[in-house]
Amino acid sequence: MDLVDQIMAPRFRLRYAQPTPGTEAFDHIRRRPQLADLISRFRQDRSGLRFAPDGEAVTDLDLSDGLATGKVVRPYLARFSDEAGRRLRISGIDMLRLEDGLITEVWSVSGGRDGRAFYPDDQD
């Protein structure tokens, strides 16, 4: 969880959208300790869940004194097993706003449990 302090601004906004009914809403997350706690609980409830970058990132960044300000958009792939033991691959996309090298906003959209991989023909 030390990474949270290195990449997140002291105050930020997390916006999470997923179409699955009953999915957690993360719009209340605004501070580093809240995000670290959320990540910890999220991992406990979803053992075996793995995220990886997927596809090309799109960036609109300016550098000043080695610190980035701007936006990054990156598709990701989530891999996990469902309750029946089937291995699932579901994509999502994260959009980040950075100021002075720290993330100030995150918009995260996932296909949810009923989603699919953006690149279904690719093998892990």
Side-chain angles (χ1 to χ4, degrees):
M1 295 298 108
D2 294 335
L3 188 58
V4 169
D5 291 338
Q6 296 174 30
I7 65 172
M8 302 303 292
R11 290 190 53 87
F12 58 89
R13 182 72 186 252
L14 173 61
R15 301 171 193 273
Y16 182 72
Q18 190 179 134
T20 306
T23 300
E24 304 96 331
F26 299 143
D27 293 343
H28 66 284
I29 304 295
R30 302 269 195 313
R31 293 187 176 88
R32 292 171 175 168
Q34 290 176 305
L35 182 60
D37 181 58
L38 170 72
I39 291 169
S40 238
R41 285 184 290 112
F42 197 84
R43 286 183 178 169
Q44 282 178 336
D45 296 343
R46 294 159 182 86
S47 66
L49 176 63
R50 299 289 178 257
F51 290 97
D54 199 25
E56 294 289 321
V58 177
T59 63
D60 180 12
L61 296 171
D62 292 315
L63 289 178
S64 176
D65 296 324
L67 299 175
T69 296
K71 298 176 189 116
V72 176
V73 178
R74 182 70 192 241
Y76 65 82
L77 178 67
R79 292 175 290 200
F80 60 97
S81 295
D82 67 8
E83 294 80 14
R86 293 176 299 188
R87 195 79 180 130
L88 300 177
R89 300 171 71 249
I90 296 172
S91 292
I93 192 162
D94 284 339
M95 298 163 278
L96 312 173
R97 180 186 308 274
L98 291 91
E99 294 179 16
D100 298 324
L102 295 174
I103 300 168
T104 59
E105 286 186 271
V106 177
W107 296 269
S108 187
V109 180
S110 164
R113 286 193 168 262
D114 298 326
R116 65 173 186 86
F118 287 141
Y119 307 102
D121 299 327
D122 293 350
Q123 297 298 314
D124 297 313

